[in-house]
Amino acid sequence: MSRDDSDDTTPLLRDDDVCGGCLELQEDYNSRWRSIRVMYFTMFLSSVGFTIVITSVWPYLEKVDDSADASFLGWVVAAYSLGQMVASPIFGWWSNFRPSKEPLVCSIFLNLSANIYYAYAYLPMTHNKFHVLISRAFVGFGAGNVAVVRSYVAGATSLKERTNAMANMSAAQALGFILGPALQAGLSFIGERGVTVNFIRLQLNMYTSPALLAGLFGLINILLVLFLLKEYHVDDHGRQIQAINYTSDDTGDIEEPEESIDNVAVLTSNVLFFVVMFIFAVFETITTPLSMDMFAWTRKQAVLYNGVILCGIGFQSILVFIVVKITARRFGDRPVFLAGLAFIFCGYFILLPWGNHYPKIQWQDVKNNSLISKILASNSSTEPTGCAYEQTWCQYIPAIYLAQYIACGIIIGVGYPACNVMSYTLYSKILGPKPQGVYMGWLTASGSGARTLGPIFVSNVYTSLGPRWAFGVISGLVLGGFILLSSVYHRLIAFSVRHGRIVE
């Protein structure tokens, strides 16, 4: 394997024509990649913090507050992304002027505290659903540190290293998506009752234990950042630029490029990232309500089965990242991006309901509307399953088959990872060697805005109009993204390529 094939095999002595004979010492090289791997772990924990409760937040809401409905679920899921959207530019700006440790430690501690708050959301006597909402918003605010992570990795890698490093970071993120639902599925065996730790008034069950585990991961992350992370910044050729707290005598001051950034490419990249994150946020949000409606799964079954499905998609994503690294090297970043959007379109098109088989409706469990039947139903320990009768579309829109659901997940699990890594790989290359904290903050904010609007959109449209409208609109949005990328294809090139410093 050549040194360009992985993040830990980058050549230490670069070509004289490229770097002017500059030499990166082995100690500096090891320290730089050790710091980058700390950022991989931070990205991993950010995705774990989101997905570890994603399949259980709906039944948790139903358990702690009877007034919560599917529309409110959309707001709860969106709260995470709204917090991240607000925080990302702030943390990105902070990292441009101060060492990355400061915003990272602050944000991770906030994330840790918010997960503990989530675990205690059942404790107040009233308005429990709003405590769940607020806690998820603060978890998301802490997750705004991904702007710092992306900015750091972009600034600490050369143009040649960038795609591999970004793909590895995406693989770490995908691993978080795997372990999050997997851990939730494993902890579901604790059950809804679980155990009570009386002296701290904590109910340790299948809903609270994942959040507490995420808090423990956050504590480990803080220690890694404090003791292992150092500041590094290199230009597109890999030459080290003086960083805020970098004191090596071998580091030379290299002037920041004065050429302008292509603002059209920057804006387009943000729009495309919004589209990519929006369509995946829709899929994440709708999995539990959709499966409970279409397949008549109980709350516990939905948490377990969707956890297993999302875990499988996550494992698949890691394989996709390996393929993406090879394919992008051969064909380029932009063709891979287009192919990813095509896969996502196919996935949502397959998910559209067809045929003449209709979902089971909850009121079918009650044979008549008499007072006696209602009393018996309310006193029964059997959980009603199927499509809620309040959703009138259940009576005339065909059911989605389990095979459709799984096939959609597999296909989206190919397209989304490719689009995800290509979107911010291209973005970092477009920006060039300038400090990227604020720009990465805006990119993260656009993705967080998508994660905010996506759950609200799908929960309301799905509840009111059903899956045909919801997934039809999403398919149209993906097609629009494909057309936009094709129309500005020639402008989405690296900063150094645009200004003639490097031949693509």
Side-chain angles (χ1 to χ4, degrees), residues 29 86 97 100 108 110 169 216 229 253 299 375 381 399 474:
Y29 167 79
V86 172
F97 298 99
S100 298
I108 297 168
L110 182 61
M169 186 166 60
L216 177 62
L229 183 68
D253 290 318
R299 289 194 296 264
I375 293 173
S381 60
I474 293 299

Side-chain angles (χ1 to χ4, degrees), residues 296-422:
W297 288 348
T298 64
R299 289 194 296 264
K300 188 172 182 178
Q301 287 174 328
V303 170
L304 177 60
Y305 298 158
N306 281 307
V308 171
I309 290 171
L310 291 176
C311 179
I313 293 173
F315 274 116
Q316 173 189 291
S317 297
I318 292 182
L319 297 177
V320 172
F321 287 128
I322 296 173
V323 174
V324 163
K325 290 167 68 173
I326 299 170
T327 307
R329 191 180 303 121
R330 182 177 178 84
F331 299 104
D333 297 336
R334 294 169 294 174
V336 174
F337 202 161
L338 283 170
L341 287 173
F343 270 98
I344 294 174
F345 176 82
C346 293
Y348 273 107
F349 188 79
I350 287 174
L351 197 58
L352 291 171
W354 306 98
N356 55 9
H357 171 70
Y358 296 92
K360 174 189 174 185
I361 300 177
Q362 283 184 13
W363 54 255
Q364 290 177 344
D365 293 332
V366 181
K367 300 304 180 184
N368 57 64
N369 290 326
S370 68
L371 180 61
I372 295 176
S373 295
K374 290 181 180 178
I375 293 173
L376 290 174
S378 63
N379 291 333
S380 173
S381 60
T382 303
E383 178 186 339
T385 58
C387 200
Y389 70 89
E390 295 93 347
Q391 299 174 158
T392 55
W393 56 262
C394 297
Q395 302 173 44
Y396 58 85
I397 290 184
I400 293 171
Y401 293 91
L402 182 60
Q404 280 180 271
Y405 182 63
I406 294 176
C408 167
I410 292 172
I411 296 172
I412 291 177
V414 173
Y416 170 72
C419 292
N420 181 274
V421 66
M422 287 301 104

Side-chain angles (χ1 to χ4, degrees), residues 188-204:
S188 67
F189 292 102
I190 298 176
E192 290 190 328
R193 290 181 178 271
V195 296
T196 302
V197 184
N198 290 318
F199 76 97
I200 54 174
R201 303 181 68 186
L202 173 65
Q203 291 181 8
L204 194 63

Side-chain angles (χ1 to χ4, degrees), residues 96-119:
N96 268 7
F97 298 99
R98 297 291 301 168
S100 298
K101 283 184 180 182
E102 294 180 10
L104 284 173
V105 171
C106 177
S107 59
I108 297 168
F109 180 78
L110 182 61
N111 191 293
L112 184 158
S113 303
N115 273 302
I116 296 174
Y117 180 22
Y118 177 89

Side-chain angles (χ1 to χ4, degrees), residues 260-276:
S260 62
I261 295 172
D262 187 345
N263 290 320
V264 172
V266 169
L267 178 61
T268 302
S269 298
N270 276 274
V271 172
L272 289 171
F273 192 64
F274 177 91
V275 171
V276 170

